[in-house]
């Protein structure tokens, strides 16, 4: 695994030049002959995530500070294929850092999964003088970036997803805001659940990953946390747990259910029938994905955006930026996509103890 660790070393110009080969143990300045980058593009792709605007802002302002022109591509790869391309100046990103969603818009684009679509996208980049592109999105968006890189457009991916399901990084843009939004909503559901002595199943997002459910489950003091990576579909055990807790005097019973398991409404019906305890399902949905980003999301997205602009301006391509063990790193896209990450065992085991 080759990962580069950037050292923030500011020389006269204020432009960052220093980098150290990190995980491989090799150290030294980047000296490879790189393609000269004059204009870069930036786009957001896949589901929007709070903090994407902070990342766009950082890419635009750092690239301009590096002497490079910036174009914004609207609505992800779909906008690229439709040539929805705008010039961006420093002021284009004014008053955006605190805003949720993405000022560039986003989309899912089936045509870009095809070889023809990818060739067309690269041709459009060439036509608009775009030598490099920052793609802010998830794994799927990285595949698109990889394809453009094969077609001669330098690409850098930034991890933009509330799901935290990108293996090469401990942090993804939007996760912190999403868990805080969900946590506050779940606290409110808990109030009414306790008042009515009900069981509440609260379904949170995360696609096939259980990170949002795990973090909220622990932070909201849930009695059960159901995540796709661990759930054995033993509903009887949950029913027994609800009955035992009620006997011990608990007035509420919170079940955080990841959307990768889903079916919260039918689960609520079955649990109510089996326990005789009123049970309600609440599906939090898109409210988890919107809203003003937290300080953490603004901070990390800003630094990652600068990092992406810097390595793109240096002529690097086919890389994604991540965060591990307190450091910002970049990885080859293919290596990043082949990495695996699981649910951390200790927090998951402790969640069972904490709610007893
Ligand atoms: P995310 O980036 O959040 O994982 P998606 O999986 O929906 O979200 O991917 C976003 C977009 O990236 C897709 O709509 C498509 O345009 C592009 N994309 C996804 N997979 C590929 C692929 N294998 N090759 C090229 N582009 C892809
Ligand atoms: O990837 C972010 C996410 O919100 C997932 O948690 C969810 O499964 C998915 O996007 C929903 O996507 P869409 O906006 O297409 O409904």
């Amino acid at each position: 695994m080759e990962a580069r660790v950037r050292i923030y070393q500011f020389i006269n110009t204020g432009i960052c030049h220093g980098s150290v080969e990190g995980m491989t143990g090799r150290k030294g300045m980047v000296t490879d002959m790189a393609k000269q980058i004059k204009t870069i593009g930036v786009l957001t792709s896949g589901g929007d995530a709070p903090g994407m605007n902070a990342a766009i802002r950082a890419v635009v302002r750092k690239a301009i500070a590096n002497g490079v022109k910036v174009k914004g591509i609207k609505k992800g790869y779909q906008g690229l294929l439709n040539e929805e391309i705008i010039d961006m100046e420093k002021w284009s990103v004014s008053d955006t850092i605190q805003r949720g969603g993405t000022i560039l818009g986003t989309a899912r684009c089936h045509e870009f999964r095809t070889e023809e679509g990818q060739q067309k996208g690269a041709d459009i980049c060439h036509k608009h003088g775009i030598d490099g592109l920052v793609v802010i999105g998830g794994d799927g968006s990285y595949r698109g970036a990889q394809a453009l890189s094969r077609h001669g457009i330098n690409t850098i991916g930034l991890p933009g997803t509330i799901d935290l399901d990108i293996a090469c990084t401990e942090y993804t843009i939007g996760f912190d805001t999403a868990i805080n939004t969900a946590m506050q909503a779940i606290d409110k559901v808990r109030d009414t659940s306790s008042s009515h002595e009900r069981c509440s199943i609260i379904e949170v997002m995360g696609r096939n990953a259980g990170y949002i459910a795990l973090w909220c489950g622990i932070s909201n003091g849930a009695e059960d946390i159901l995540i796709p990576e661990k759930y054995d579909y033993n509903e009887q055990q949950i029913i027994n747990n609800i009955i035992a807790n009620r006997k011990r005097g608990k007035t509420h019973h919170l079940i955080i259910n990841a959307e990768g398991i889903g079916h919260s409404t039918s689960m609520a019906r079955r649990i109510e029938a089996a326990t005789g305890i009123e049970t309600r399902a609440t599906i939090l949905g898109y409210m988890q994905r919107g809203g003003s980003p937290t300080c953490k999301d603004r901070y990390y997205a800003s630094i990652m955006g600068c990092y992406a602009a810097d390595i793109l301006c240096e002529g690097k391509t086919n890389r994604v930026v991540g965060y591990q063990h307190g450091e910002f790193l970049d990885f080859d896209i293919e290596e990043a996509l082949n990495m695996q990450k699981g649910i951390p065992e200790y927090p998951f085991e402790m969640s069972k103890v904490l709610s007893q």
Side-chain angles (χ1 to χ4, degrees):
M1 173 176 63
E2 185 192 321
R4 292 173 66 251
V5 181
R6 171 161 295 275
I7 290 179
Y8 286 90
Q9 182 184 52
F10 291 85
I11 306 183
N12 296 338
T13 56
I15 297 171
C16 178
H17 293 288
S19 69
V20 171
E21 297 299 327
M23 314 291 263
T24 58
R26 288 186 287 121
K27 297 194 173 201
M29 302 293 287
V30 172
T31 54
D32 43 333
M33 288 298 292
K35 169 171 144 185
Q36 211 206 330
I37 302 293
K38 293 190 182 133
T39 303
I40 68 162
V42 55
L43 63 79
T44 47
S45 169
D48 65 307
M52 279 183 164
N53 289 328
I56 295 167
R57 172 178 175 270
V59 169
V60 170
R61 294 204 167 155
K62 187 67 174 86
I64 291 173
N66 289 358
V68 167
K69 284 190 182 154
V70 185
K71 297 197 182 215
I73 297 162
K74 300 189 118 183
K75 300 175 204 159
Y77 295 119
Q78 191 61 59
L80 175 63
L81 298 185
N82 294 340
E83 289 190 64
E84 295 185 63
I85 299 172
I86 53 169
D87 290 329
M88 296 193 87
E89 309 295 341
K90 283 186 178 184
W91 52 262
S92 311
V93 288
S94 299
D95 199 27
T96 60
I97 195 166
Q98 78 284 12
R99 286 164 57 187
T102 157
I103 56 164
L104 289 174
T106 187
R108 304 202 201 269
C109 172
H110 290 294
E111 191 184 349
F112 208 73
R113 292 172 186 267
T114 66
E115 174 57 34
E116 297 74 38
Q118 293 156 10
Q119 181 63 61
K120 184 177 167 190
D123 291 344
I124 290 169
C125 285
H126 288 305
K127 179 178 159 191
H128 288 263
I130 296 171
D131 323 293
L133 183 65
V134 177
V135 172
I136 308 169
D139 282 353
S141 304
Y142 293 170
R143 289 272 176 223
Q146 204 177 22
L148 282 175
S149 175
R150 279 197 299 274
H151 287 283
I153 308 299
N154 285 17
T155 55
I156 306 294
L158 283 183
T161 170
I162 63 165
D163 301 336
L164 196 70
D165 60 347
I166 300 178
C168 70
T169 184
E170 292 161 9
Y171 166 83
T172 62
I173 296 166
F175 177 73
D176 189 62
T177 307
I179 51 174
N180 278 289
T181 303
M183 183 189 74
Q184 287 170 17
I186 295 164
D187 280 345
K188 294 180 172 73
V189 176
R190 182 185 178 130
D191 288 346
T192 177
S193 186
S194 302
S195 303
H196 285 263
E197 300 195 0
R198 282 177 179 159
C199 169
S200 288
I201 302 174
I202 298 144
E203 187 172 312
V204 296
M205 276 188 164
R207 205 182 288 251
N208 300 316
Y211 298 102
I212 296 177
L214 179 65
W215 279 68
C216 287
I218 290 177
S219 307
N220 289 103
E223 278 66 31
D224 285 293
I225 304 172
L226 312 183
I227 55 177
E229 296 88 339
K230 299 283 186 187
Y231 188 43
D232 59 5
Y233 290 87
N234 183 355
E235 216 164 85
Q236 190 56 48
Q237 197 176 319
I238 299 171
I239 289 164
N240 296 345
N241 197 19
I242 295 168
I243 293 168
N245 278 338
R246 184 54 54 98
K247 279 188 185 150
R248 290 209 318 268
K250 279 210 181 198
T251 52
H252 66 273
H253 190 103
L254 290 187
I255 302 172
I256 307 299
N257 186 31
E259 73 167 334
I261 294 168
H263 304 289
S264 298
T265 307
S266 55
M267 194 187 287
R269 274 198 296 269
R270 288 193 299 274
I271 287 176
E272 180 166 314
T275 60
I277 294 168
E278 270 192 318
T279 303
R280 296 282 192 271
T282 304
I283 299 169
L284 293 185
Y286 296 107
M287 56 102 68
Q288 293 160 94
R289 220 163 75 181
S292 180
T294 58
C295 180
K296 180 170 180 176
D297 275 329
R298 297 181 199 193
Y299 177 91
Y300 279 66
S302 296
I303 303 305
M304 285 182 157
C306 289
Y307 189 119
D310 275 346
I311 59 174
L312 198 52
C313 293
E314 284 172 5
K316 298 290 171 190
T317 185
N318 204 39
R319 311 287 293 178
V320 293
V321 177
Y323 180 83
Q324 284 185 3
H325 311 301
E327 284 175 315
F328 295 96
L329 311 157
D330 58 280
F331 301 89
D332 173 78
I333 293 185
E334 190 60 33
E335 284 178 23
L337 289 171
N338 287 333
M339 289 177 191
Q340 305 286 327
K341 108 169 159 185
I343 288 290
E345 288 298 329
Y346 189 72
F348 182 70
E349 287 308 315
M350 288 312 99
S351 71
K352 298 175 196 161
V353 176
L354 288 169
S355 61
Q356 293 306 306

